[in-house]
Amino acid sequence: MEAGDEQLMLAYREGDAGAFEQLYKRHKGSLYRFVLRSVRDRALAEELYQEIWMRVIEARGRYEAQAKFITWLYTIAHNRLVDHWRKRGLSLVSLDQDESGQAEPRAGSDYEPQRVLEAKQTLARFTRALEALPAAQREAFLLHEEAGMSVAEIAQATGAGEEAAKSRLRYATSRLKEATGND
Amino acid sequence: MTEERDPKVSAAYRDLGAQEPPRALDDAILAAARRAAGARPSALAARASRQRWYAPLATAAVLVLAVATTLNMRLEKPGIESPAHQAPPSAQGPAPVVAEARQKREAEAKPDAVADTRVKDAAKSQSGDEGKNVQRKFKEPSAPAAPEPKPFATDRAAAASPRADEALGAASSVTGKLAGQAEERGARDAIAGARAPQGAEVEALAKRAEEDARPQMQQRQAPVVQSPAPAPAAKPALLERAAALTPEQELERIADLRRQQRHDEADRALAEFRKRYPDYRISEATRERVERR
């Protein structure tokens, strides 16, 4: 039987580096994609991703078993992204507004999977729709899809109210649904 | 909140691919984690595998201990509780040799055909050095195998024997009974001591025999016997003899007493023998030799 995330994190807190290794293997992909699809820049995503894990390592002594590890991890990620947005003069609140008219999604090899471009226009539309989502809605959607979080957990990780989290997720899903042609 | 999840949207999202961080980034993060943790990789995994073995290992250990303890108790118990039932190998060692010698003597069967040594022994025993003679007589054929019970038997049992003999000599049946008990206990301890005369154990047994005998003797004999106990050398100690002899040897000694017409002593010794070994089966041939006719 595999140890739970919380158990592993507590073990790591007690100095067990092997526990961290297991934990990292479990969550590296989803966290990386979450960051990558949030900032839409691979280099920046890698930098932020590493900083998030460094914060996890530094904050291990403050980790309490009451907190679900995944919520704790994505709270750290969210906070790091907020810092990033603030540096850029943006905020999640402003990004929560409809920004579809602000800018076209940047096209680049990192953000447009080759097979999507080649094979499925629908998927291309989906990608563009995801990238076009307001940051807060996209974050809610990515937390839901990548981290498997419920609305309550999204609210907890992002510091938003449950209603706000629910609303963001619903809007995001609705727009992406339009992009896939599922009206 | 599964109502927020749309399967087709989720499927479309999955189609975007599952990008992973570069290996170099993984290594850097894991290295940092190890440094922070003080470099103890895979300790949890090792602990988990250890934990899988803990329960069966502990159960097995408990079972082995329980079985070993039970066996040990079973093996040791008879030796402590009733040394007469199962004499240990060291005490049993001389028995076959003695029995062989006895059979040989019985085959010869004629009173006038008694060996020279026996005549000598009989002569010596009449001179009062009975205990030593009996010991010597039966030690001779079995000398190589017989352990040396003398240190305990002579030194320790003799400590209790003067009082026991004194009690036996008294007219009171109460004191006689008590003396019998004390003697029996002392003899049993003495036999146990002779069986395994190991330092502290011998000391403890001897001390116990002495302490057991003393209060009862002093308390109950006081009104009857006022005189001090006779010197140990003056009267041969029954206990000393009993402690040194196996049941077969004891019976042989009684038979000798009968042959020497010392029937009172033989009766007393036989009574003591029956008290000490209540479940010992005396063979028909031996019975004819030890019982008064």
Side-chain angles (χ1 to χ4, degrees), chain A residues 36-93:
Chain A
L36 180 65
R37 287 165 186 167
S38 293
V39 298
R40 295 175 285 180
D41 181 320
R42 183 175 286 272
L44 177 62
E46 286 178 7
E47 185 186 328
L48 292 173
Y49 172 80
Q50 187 170 5
E51 286 179 17
I52 290 165
W53 280 112
M54 289 304 167
R55 286 188 183 188
V56 168
I57 291 168
E58 287 163 13
R60 68 189 184 281
R62 296 190 295 277
Y63 176 75
E64 296 293 337
Q66 288 89 346
K68 200 175 173 186
F69 173 76
I70 204 163
T71 309
W72 186 68
L73 174 66
Y74 280 92
T75 301
I76 292 173
H78 166 81
N79 291 340
R80 184 66 194 89
L81 285 173
V82 167
D83 287 347
H84 167 71
W85 301 131
R86 279 185 186 148
K87 277 184 191 170
R88 298 238 175 148
L90 299 168
S91 72
L92 277 177
V93 174

Short mmCIF file of all heavy atoms in Angstrom, two decimals, chain A residues 36-93:
data_model
loop_
_atom_site.label_atom_id
_atom_site.label_comp_id
_atom_site.label_asym_id
_atom_site.label_seq_id
_atom_site.Cartn_x
_atom_site.Cartn_y
_atom_site.Cartn_z
N LEU A 36 2.79 25.92 -16.65
CA LEU A 36 3.07 26.17 -18.07
C LEU A 36 1.85 26.77 -18.77
O LEU A 36 1.95 27.75 -19.52
CB LEU A 36 3.47 24.87 -18.74
CG LEU A 36 3.79 24.92 -20.23
CD1 LEU A 36 5.03 25.78 -20.48
CD2 LEU A 36 4.03 23.50 -20.77
N ARG A 37 0.68 26.22 -18.50
CA ARG A 37 -0.53 26.69 -19.17
C ARG A 37 -1.09 27.95 -18.52
O ARG A 37 -1.99 28.57 -19.07
CB ARG A 37 -1.56 25.57 -19.20
CG ARG A 37 -1.13 24.51 -20.21
CD ARG A 37 -1.84 23.21 -20.11
NE ARG A 37 -1.22 22.25 -21.04
CZ ARG A 37 -1.45 20.95 -21.02
NH1 ARG A 37 -2.27 20.44 -20.12
NH2 ARG A 37 -0.86 20.16 -21.89
N SER A 38 -0.54 28.25 -17.38
CA SER A 38 -0.96 29.51 -16.76
C SER A 38 -0.16 30.69 -17.31
O SER A 38 -0.72 31.77 -17.54
CB SER A 38 -0.74 29.45 -15.24
OG SER A 38 -1.60 28.53 -14.64
N VAL A 39 1.13 30.52 -17.52
CA VAL A 39 1.97 31.66 -17.93
C VAL A 39 2.25 31.68 -19.43
O VAL A 39 2.71 32.69 -19.96
CB VAL A 39 3.30 31.69 -17.15
CG1 VAL A 39 3.05 31.86 -15.67
CG2 VAL A 39 4.13 30.44 -17.42
N ARG A 40 2.06 30.54 -20.08
CA ARG A 40 2.21 30.44 -21.53
C ARG A 40 3.63 30.78 -22.01
O ARG A 40 3.82 31.36 -23.07
CB ARG A 40 1.19 31.34 -22.23
CG ARG A 40 -0.22 30.90 -21.97
CD ARG A 40 -1.22 31.84 -22.55
NE ARG A 40 -1.35 33.06 -21.78
CZ ARG A 40 -2.17 34.06 -22.07
NH1 ARG A 40 -2.93 34.01 -23.16
NH2 ARG A 40 -2.25 35.13 -21.32
N ASP A 41 4.58 30.51 -21.19
CA ASP A 41 5.99 30.73 -21.56
C ASP A 41 6.81 29.63 -20.89
O ASP A 41 6.86 29.55 -19.66
CB ASP A 41 6.44 32.11 -21.07
CG ASP A 41 7.87 32.44 -21.43
OD1 ASP A 41 8.72 31.52 -21.35
OD2 ASP A 41 8.16 33.60 -21.79
N ARG A 42 7.43 28.81 -21.72
CA ARG A 42 8.09 27.62 -21.17
C ARG A 42 9.22 27.99 -20.21
O ARG A 42 9.30 27.42 -19.11
CB ARG A 42 8.63 26.73 -22.29
CG ARG A 42 9.27 25.45 -21.80
CD ARG A 42 9.67 24.56 -22.93
NE ARG A 42 8.52 23.93 -23.55
CZ ARG A 42 7.99 22.77 -23.16
NH1 ARG A 42 8.50 22.14 -22.11
NH2 ARG A 42 6.97 22.26 -23.78
N ALA A 43 10.06 28.92 -20.62
CA ALA A 43 11.20 29.27 -19.77
C ALA A 43 10.73 29.84 -18.43
O ALA A 43 11.22 29.46 -17.36
CB ALA A 43 12.10 30.28 -20.49
N LEU A 44 9.75 30.73 -18.57
CA LEU A 44 9.21 31.31 -17.34
C LEU A 44 8.53 30.23 -16.48
O LEU A 44 8.66 30.21 -15.26
CB LEU A 44 8.20 32.41 -17.72
CG LEU A 44 7.48 33.09 -16.56
CD1 LEU A 44 8.47 33.80 -15.65
CD2 LEU A 44 6.44 34.09 -17.10
N ALA A 45 7.82 29.34 -17.17
CA ALA A 45 7.13 28.26 -16.46
C ALA A 45 8.12 27.40 -15.69
O ALA A 45 7.88 27.05 -14.52
CB ALA A 45 6.35 27.42 -17.45
N GLU A 46 9.25 27.11 -16.33
CA GLU A 46 10.25 26.27 -15.64
C GLU A 46 10.83 26.99 -14.43
O GLU A 46 11.06 26.39 -13.37
CB GLU A 46 11.35 25.90 -16.63
CG GLU A 46 10.89 24.85 -17.62
CD GLU A 46 11.95 24.49 -18.65
OE1 GLU A 46 13.09 24.97 -18.52
OE2 GLU A 46 11.62 23.75 -19.60
N GLU A 47 11.03 28.28 -14.59
CA GLU A 47 11.57 29.05 -13.48
C GLU A 47 10.59 29.07 -12.30
O GLU A 47 10.97 28.84 -11.15
CB GLU A 47 11.85 30.49 -13.97
CG GLU A 47 12.53 31.35 -12.94
CD GLU A 47 12.64 32.80 -13.43
OE1 GLU A 47 12.76 33.01 -14.66
OE2 GLU A 47 12.58 33.71 -12.58
N LEU A 48 9.35 29.35 -12.64
CA LEU A 48 8.33 29.40 -11.58
C LEU A 48 8.13 28.02 -10.93
O LEU A 48 7.98 27.91 -9.72
CB LEU A 48 7.00 29.90 -12.16
CG LEU A 48 6.98 31.37 -12.61
CD1 LEU A 48 5.66 31.70 -13.32
CD2 LEU A 48 7.17 32.30 -11.42
N TYR A 49 8.13 27.02 -11.79
CA TYR A 49 7.95 25.64 -11.31
C TYR A 49 9.03 25.29 -10.28
O TYR A 49 8.74 24.76 -9.20
CB TYR A 49 8.00 24.71 -12.52
CG TYR A 49 8.01 23.23 -12.20
CD1 TYR A 49 6.84 22.56 -11.89
CD2 TYR A 49 9.20 22.51 -12.26
CE1 TYR A 49 6.86 21.19 -11.62
CE2 TYR A 49 9.22 21.14 -12.00
CZ TYR A 49 8.05 20.49 -11.68
OH TYR A 49 8.07 19.15 -11.41
N GLN A 50 10.26 25.61 -10.61
CA GLN A 50 11.34 25.30 -9.68
C GLN A 50 11.20 26.10 -8.38
O GLN A 50 11.41 25.56 -7.29
CB GLN A 50 12.69 25.63 -10.35
CG GLN A 50 13.87 25.17 -9.51
CD GLN A 50 15.20 25.27 -10.25
OE1 GLN A 50 15.25 25.79 -11.37
NE2 GLN A 50 16.25 24.80 -9.63
N GLU A 51 10.82 27.35 -8.54
CA GLU A 51 10.66 28.18 -7.34
C GLU A 51 9.55 27.63 -6.43
O GLU A 51 9.66 27.67 -5.20
CB GLU A 51 10.35 29.62 -7.73
CG GLU A 51 11.55 30.36 -8.26
CD GLU A 51 11.22 31.79 -8.67
OE1 GLU A 51 10.16 32.29 -8.24
OE2 GLU A 51 12.01 32.38 -9.41
N ILE A 52 8.51 27.12 -7.04
CA ILE A 52 7.40 26.55 -6.25
C ILE A 52 7.90 25.37 -5.42
O ILE A 52 7.64 25.27 -4.22
CB ILE A 52 6.23 26.14 -7.17
CG1 ILE A 52 5.56 27.39 -7.74
CG2 ILE A 52 5.22 25.29 -6.40
CD1 ILE A 52 4.65 27.11 -8.93
N TRP A 53 8.64 24.48 -6.05
CA TRP A 53 9.15 23.32 -5.31
C TRP A 53 10.16 23.74 -4.24
O TRP A 53 10.22 23.14 -3.17
CB TRP A 53 9.78 22.30 -6.27
CG TRP A 53 8.75 21.43 -6.95
CD1 TRP A 53 8.42 21.44 -8.27
CD2 TRP A 53 7.91 20.45 -6.34
NE1 TRP A 53 7.44 20.53 -8.53
CE2 TRP A 53 7.10 19.89 -7.36
CE3 TRP A 53 7.75 19.98 -5.05
CZ2 TRP A 53 6.16 18.89 -7.12
CZ3 TRP A 53 6.81 18.98 -4.81
CH2 TRP A 53 6.03 18.45 -5.84
N MET A 54 10.91 24.78 -4.55
CA MET A 54 11.86 25.26 -3.54
C MET A 54 11.11 25.80 -2.32
O MET A 54 11.55 25.62 -1.18
CB MET A 54 12.77 26.35 -4.13
CG MET A 54 13.78 25.83 -5.12
SD MET A 54 14.80 24.53 -4.39
CE MET A 54 15.57 23.89 -5.84
N ARG A 55 10.01 26.42 -2.60
CA ARG A 55 9.21 26.92 -1.48
C ARG A 55 8.63 25.76 -0.66
O ARG A 55 8.50 25.85 0.56
CB ARG A 55 8.08 27.82 -1.98
CG ARG A 55 8.58 29.17 -2.45
CD ARG A 55 7.45 30.12 -2.77
NE ARG A 55 7.98 31.37 -3.29
CZ ARG A 55 7.24 32.44 -3.52
NH1 ARG A 55 5.93 32.41 -3.30
NH2 ARG A 55 7.77 33.56 -3.98
N VAL A 56 8.25 24.71 -1.37
CA VAL A 56 7.76 23.51 -0.66
C VAL A 56 8.85 22.98 0.26
O VAL A 56 8.60 22.66 1.43
CB VAL A 56 7.31 22.43 -1.68
CG1 VAL A 56 7.08 21.09 -0.99
CG2 VAL A 56 6.07 22.87 -2.42
N ILE A 57 10.05 22.91 -0.30
CA ILE A 57 11.17 22.38 0.50
C ILE A 57 11.43 23.27 1.71
O ILE A 57 11.61 22.79 2.83
CB ILE A 57 12.43 22.26 -0.40
CG1 ILE A 57 12.22 21.16 -1.45
CG2 ILE A 57 13.67 21.97 0.45
CD1 ILE A 57 13.26 21.15 -2.56
N GLU A 58 11.42 24.56 1.45
CA GLU A 58 11.71 25.48 2.56
C GLU A 58 10.61 25.47 3.61
O GLU A 58 10.89 25.65 4.80
CB GLU A 58 11.88 26.91 2.01
CG GLU A 58 13.18 27.11 1.26
CD GLU A 58 13.15 28.37 0.39
OE1 GLU A 58 12.22 29.19 0.57
OE2 GLU A 58 14.04 28.50 -0.46
N ALA A 59 9.39 25.28 3.16
CA ALA A 59 8.25 25.37 4.08
C ALA A 59 7.88 24.03 4.72
O ALA A 59 6.87 23.94 5.41
CB ALA A 59 7.04 25.93 3.32
N ARG A 60 8.71 23.01 4.51
CA ARG A 60 8.34 21.67 5.00
C ARG A 60 8.13 21.63 6.51
O ARG A 60 7.30 20.88 7.01
CB ARG A 60 9.40 20.65 4.58
CG ARG A 60 10.74 20.83 5.26
CD ARG A 60 11.79 19.92 4.65
NE ARG A 60 13.07 20.03 5.35
CZ ARG A 60 13.93 21.02 5.18
NH1 ARG A 60 13.66 22.01 4.32
NH2 ARG A 60 15.06 21.04 5.85
N GLY A 61 8.89 22.44 7.21
CA GLY A 61 8.78 22.44 8.66
C GLY A 61 7.45 22.99 9.14
O GLY A 61 7.02 22.72 10.26
N ARG A 62 6.78 23.76 8.31
CA ARG A 62 5.50 24.36 8.70
C ARG A 62 4.31 23.53 8.24
O ARG A 62 3.17 23.87 8.52
CB ARG A 62 5.38 25.78 8.12
CG ARG A 62 6.41 26.75 8.63
CD ARG A 62 6.11 28.18 8.23
NE ARG A 62 6.19 28.39 6.79
CZ ARG A 62 7.34 28.63 6.14
NH1 ARG A 62 8.48 28.68 6.80
NH2 ARG A 62 7.36 28.81 4.84
N TYR A 63 4.61 22.47 7.52
CA TYR A 63 3.50 21.65 6.99
C TYR A 63 2.81 20.91 8.13
O TYR A 63 3.45 20.31 8.98
CB TYR A 63 4.01 20.65 5.96
CG TYR A 63 2.93 19.74 5.46
CD1 TYR A 63 1.97 20.21 4.56
CD2 TYR A 63 2.83 18.42 5.90
CE1 TYR A 63 0.95 19.39 4.12
CE2 TYR A 63 1.82 17.59 5.46
CZ TYR A 63 0.88 18.08 4.57
OH TYR A 63 -0.13 17.27 4.14
N GLU A 64 1.52 20.98 8.12
CA GLU A 64 0.72 20.27 9.12
C GLU A 64 -0.13 19.22 8.41
O GLU A 64 -0.64 19.47 7.32
CB GLU A 64 -0.20 21.23 9.88
CG GLU A 64 0.54 22.26 10.70
CD GLU A 64 1.31 21.65 11.87
OE1 GLU A 64 0.93 20.55 12.31
OE2 GLU A 64 2.29 22.27 12.31
N ALA A 65 -0.30 18.10 9.07
CA ALA A 65 -1.02 16.98 8.44
C ALA A 65 -2.49 17.31 8.21
O ALA A 65 -3.15 16.66 7.39
CB ALA A 65 -0.90 15.73 9.30
N GLN A 66 -3.01 18.28 8.92
CA GLN A 66 -4.43 18.62 8.72
C GLN A 66 -4.68 19.12 7.31
O GLN A 66 -5.76 18.94 6.76
CB GLN A 66 -4.88 19.71 9.71
CG GLN A 66 -5.00 19.22 11.14
CD GLN A 66 -3.69 19.37 11.89
OE1 GLN A 66 -2.64 19.59 11.30
NE2 GLN A 66 -3.74 19.21 13.20
N ALA A 67 -3.68 19.77 6.75
CA ALA A 67 -3.86 20.32 5.40
C ALA A 67 -3.63 19.22 4.37
O ALA A 67 -2.69 18.45 4.49
CB ALA A 67 -2.86 21.44 5.18
N LYS A 68 -4.51 19.19 3.40
CA LYS A 68 -4.32 18.23 2.31
C LYS A 68 -3.11 18.70 1.51
O LYS A 68 -3.01 19.88 1.16
CB LYS A 68 -5.59 18.22 1.45
CG LYS A 68 -5.73 16.99 0.61
CD LYS A 68 -7.05 17.00 -0.11
CE LYS A 68 -7.12 15.83 -1.08
NZ LYS A 68 -8.33 15.87 -1.89
N PHE A 69 -2.23 17.78 1.21
CA PHE A 69 -0.97 18.18 0.59
C PHE A 69 -1.21 18.90 -0.73
O PHE A 69 -0.58 19.92 -1.03
CB PHE A 69 -0.06 16.98 0.37
CG PHE A 69 1.16 17.33 -0.41
CD1 PHE A 69 2.22 18.01 0.17
CD2 PHE A 69 1.25 17.01 -1.76
CE1 PHE A 69 3.34 18.37 -0.55
CE2 PHE A 69 2.37 17.37 -2.50
CZ PHE A 69 3.42 18.05 -1.89
N ILE A 70 -2.13 18.36 -1.51
CA ILE A 70 -2.30 18.94 -2.84
C ILE A 70 -2.83 20.38 -2.76
O ILE A 70 -2.43 21.25 -3.55
CB ILE A 70 -3.21 18.03 -3.71
CG1 ILE A 70 -2.92 18.29 -5.18
CG2 ILE A 70 -4.67 18.20 -3.39
CD1 ILE A 70 -3.43 17.22 -6.09
N THR A 71 -3.68 20.62 -1.78
CA THR A 71 -4.18 21.98 -1.59
C THR A 71 -3.03 22.90 -1.17
O THR A 71 -2.90 24.03 -1.65
CB THR A 71 -5.27 22.00 -0.50
OG1 THR A 71 -6.24 21.00 -0.81
CG2 THR A 71 -5.94 23.34 -0.41
N TRP A 72 -2.20 22.37 -0.28
CA TRP A 72 -1.05 23.14 0.21
C TRP A 72 -0.09 23.45 -0.95
O TRP A 72 0.37 24.58 -1.10
CB TRP A 72 -0.37 22.31 1.29
CG TRP A 72 0.74 22.99 2.02
CD1 TRP A 72 0.64 24.04 2.88
CD2 TRP A 72 2.12 22.63 1.98
NE1 TRP A 72 1.86 24.37 3.37
CE2 TRP A 72 2.79 23.51 2.84
CE3 TRP A 72 2.85 21.66 1.30
CZ2 TRP A 72 4.17 23.46 3.03
CZ3 TRP A 72 4.21 21.60 1.50
CH2 TRP A 72 4.87 22.50 2.36
N LEU A 73 0.16 22.43 -1.76
CA LEU A 73 1.09 22.60 -2.89
C LEU A 73 0.58 23.65 -3.86
O LEU A 73 1.32 24.55 -4.30
CB LEU A 73 1.26 21.25 -3.61
CG LEU A 73 2.09 21.26 -4.89
CD1 LEU A 73 3.55 21.59 -4.61
CD2 LEU A 73 2.02 19.89 -5.59
N TYR A 74 -0.71 23.55 -4.20
CA TYR A 74 -1.23 24.48 -5.20
C TYR A 74 -1.51 25.86 -4.62
O TYR A 74 -1.58 26.85 -5.36
CB TYR A 74 -2.48 23.89 -5.88
CG TYR A 74 -2.07 22.90 -6.96
CD1 TYR A 74 -1.92 21.55 -6.68
CD2 TYR A 74 -1.77 23.34 -8.25
CE1 TYR A 74 -1.52 20.65 -7.65
CE2 TYR A 74 -1.35 22.45 -9.23
CZ TYR A 74 -1.23 21.10 -8.93
OH TYR A 74 -0.80 20.22 -9.90
N THR A 75 -1.61 25.94 -3.31
CA THR A 75 -1.68 27.27 -2.69
C THR A 75 -0.34 27.98 -2.88
O THR A 75 -0.29 29.17 -3.22
CB THR A 75 -2.01 27.14 -1.18
OG1 THR A 75 -3.25 26.47 -1.04
CG2 THR A 75 -2.09 28.50 -0.51
N ILE A 76 0.73 27.22 -2.67
CA ILE A 76 2.07 27.79 -2.89
C ILE A 76 2.23 28.20 -4.35
O ILE A 76 2.74 29.28 -4.67
CB ILE A 76 3.15 26.76 -2.48
CG1 ILE A 76 3.12 26.56 -0.96
CG2 ILE A 76 4.54 27.21 -2.93
CD1 ILE A 76 4.03 25.45 -0.46
N ALA A 77 1.75 27.34 -5.24
CA ALA A 77 1.85 27.65 -6.68
C ALA A 77 1.03 28.91 -7.02
O ALA A 77 1.51 29.79 -7.76
CB ALA A 77 1.35 26.46 -7.49
N HIS A 78 -0.15 28.94 -6.48
CA HIS A 78 -1.02 30.11 -6.73
C HIS A 78 -0.33 31.39 -6.25
O HIS A 78 -0.31 32.40 -6.96
CB HIS A 78 -2.36 29.92 -6.02
CG HIS A 78 -3.17 31.15 -5.93
ND1 HIS A 78 -3.97 31.61 -6.98
CD2 HIS A 78 -3.34 32.06 -4.92
CE1 HIS A 78 -4.57 32.72 -6.61
NE2 HIS A 78 -4.21 33.02 -5.37
N ASN A 79 0.20 31.32 -5.03
CA ASN A 79 0.86 32.51 -4.48
C ASN A 79 2.05 32.95 -5.33
O ASN A 79 2.28 34.13 -5.52
CB ASN A 79 1.31 32.24 -3.04
CG ASN A 79 0.13 32.11 -2.09
OD1 ASN A 79 -0.97 32.57 -2.41
ND2 ASN A 79 0.34 31.47 -0.96
N ARG A 80 2.75 31.96 -5.83
CA ARG A 80 3.90 32.31 -6.67
C ARG A 80 3.44 32.96 -7.98
O ARG A 80 4.06 33.91 -8.46
CB ARG A 80 4.74 31.04 -6.97
CG ARG A 80 5.99 31.33 -7.75
CD ARG A 80 6.97 32.17 -6.92
NE ARG A 80 8.03 32.75 -7.74
CZ ARG A 80 7.97 33.94 -8.37
NH1 ARG A 80 6.87 34.70 -8.29
NH2 ARG A 80 8.99 34.40 -9.08
N LEU A 81 2.35 32.48 -8.52
CA LEU A 81 1.80 33.06 -9.75
C LEU A 81 1.27 34.47 -9.48
O LEU A 81 1.46 35.38 -10.31
CB LEU A 81 0.68 32.18 -10.29
CG LEU A 81 1.14 30.89 -10.97
CD1 LEU A 81 -0.06 30.00 -11.33
CD2 LEU A 81 1.97 31.19 -12.24
N VAL A 82 0.65 34.64 -8.34
CA VAL A 82 0.14 35.99 -8.00
C VAL A 82 1.32 36.97 -7.93
O VAL A 82 1.23 38.09 -8.45
CB VAL A 82 -0.63 35.93 -6.67
CG1 VAL A 82 -0.89 37.33 -6.13
CG2 VAL A 82 -1.94 35.20 -6.86
N ASP A 83 2.42 36.50 -7.29
CA ASP A 83 3.62 37.35 -7.24
C ASP A 83 4.06 37.72 -8.65
O ASP A 83 4.44 38.86 -8.93
CB ASP A 83 4.76 36.62 -6.53
CG ASP A 83 4.53 36.52 -5.05
OD1 ASP A 83 3.63 37.22 -4.53
OD2 ASP A 83 5.22 35.71 -4.39
N HIS A 84 4.01 36.70 -9.47
CA HIS A 84 4.43 36.92 -10.87
C HIS A 84 3.52 37.94 -11.56
O HIS A 84 4.02 38.87 -12.22
CB HIS A 84 4.40 35.59 -11.62
CG HIS A 84 4.51 35.73 -13.10
ND1 HIS A 84 5.68 36.10 -13.72
CD2 HIS A 84 3.60 35.55 -14.10
CE1 HIS A 84 5.49 36.13 -15.03
NE2 HIS A 84 4.22 35.80 -15.28
N TRP A 85 2.22 37.81 -11.39
CA TRP A 85 1.30 38.75 -12.02
C TRP A 85 1.50 40.15 -11.47
O TRP A 85 1.46 41.13 -12.21
CB TRP A 85 -0.17 38.33 -11.81
CG TRP A 85 -0.55 36.97 -12.35
CD1 TRP A 85 -1.22 36.01 -11.68
CD2 TRP A 85 -0.31 36.47 -13.65
NE1 TRP A 85 -1.40 34.91 -12.48
CE2 TRP A 85 -0.84 35.17 -13.73
CE3 TRP A 85 0.35 36.96 -14.81
CZ2 TRP A 85 -0.79 34.37 -14.84
CZ3 TRP A 85 0.40 36.15 -15.93
CH2 TRP A 85 -0.16 34.87 -15.95
N ARG A 86 1.74 40.23 -10.21
CA ARG A 86 1.92 41.56 -9.59
C ARG A 86 3.16 42.24 -10.15
O ARG A 86 3.17 43.46 -10.36
CB ARG A 86 2.04 41.42 -8.08
CG ARG A 86 0.68 41.28 -7.42
CD ARG A 86 0.80 41.27 -5.91
NE ARG A 86 -0.53 40.99 -5.33
CZ ARG A 86 -0.70 40.34 -4.21
NH1 ARG A 86 0.34 39.89 -3.54
NH2 ARG A 86 -1.92 40.14 -3.74
N LYS A 87 4.20 41.47 -10.32
CA LYS A 87 5.42 42.05 -10.89
C LYS A 87 5.15 42.62 -12.28
O LYS A 87 5.79 43.55 -12.72
CB LYS A 87 6.52 40.99 -10.98
CG LYS A 87 7.28 40.79 -9.69
CD LYS A 87 8.40 39.79 -9.90
CE LYS A 87 9.00 39.38 -8.58
NZ LYS A 87 9.93 38.24 -8.75
N ARG A 88 4.23 41.98 -12.92
CA ARG A 88 3.88 42.43 -14.28
C ARG A 88 2.81 43.51 -14.26
O ARG A 88 2.30 43.88 -15.31
CB ARG A 88 3.39 41.24 -15.09
CG ARG A 88 4.42 40.16 -15.26
CD ARG A 88 4.66 39.94 -16.71
NE ARG A 88 5.73 39.00 -16.95
CZ ARG A 88 5.73 38.19 -18.00
NH1 ARG A 88 4.69 38.18 -18.82
NH2 ARG A 88 6.75 37.42 -18.22
N GLY A 89 2.46 43.93 -13.08
CA GLY A 89 1.44 44.98 -12.98
C GLY A 89 0.04 44.47 -13.20
O GLY A 89 -0.88 45.24 -13.48
N LEU A 90 -0.16 43.21 -13.03
CA LEU A 90 -1.48 42.64 -13.20
C LEU A 90 -1.96 42.05 -11.87
O LEU A 90 -1.18 41.86 -10.95
CB LEU A 90 -1.46 41.54 -14.26
CG LEU A 90 -1.03 41.97 -15.66
CD1 LEU A 90 -0.78 40.76 -16.52
CD2 LEU A 90 -2.10 42.86 -16.30
N SER A 91 -3.21 41.75 -11.85
CA SER A 91 -3.73 41.05 -10.68
C SER A 91 -4.74 40.02 -11.14
O SER A 91 -5.30 40.11 -12.23
CB SER A 91 -4.37 42.02 -9.71
OG SER A 91 -5.59 42.48 -10.25
N LEU A 92 -4.97 39.05 -10.28
CA LEU A 92 -5.93 38.01 -10.65
C LEU A 92 -7.33 38.58 -10.77
O LEU A 92 -8.13 38.11 -11.57
CB LEU A 92 -5.91 36.89 -9.61
CG LEU A 92 -4.81 35.86 -9.80
CD1 LEU A 92 -4.84 34.84 -8.68
CD2 LEU A 92 -4.95 35.13 -11.14
N VAL A 93 -7.59 39.63 -9.98
CA VAL A 93 -8.94 40.21 -10.05
C VAL A 93 -9.16 40.83 -11.42
O VAL A 93 -10.16 40.59 -12.09
CB VAL A 93 -9.13 41.27 -8.94
CG1 VAL A 93 -10.46 41.98 -9.12
CG2 VAL A 93 -9.06 40.60 -7.58
#
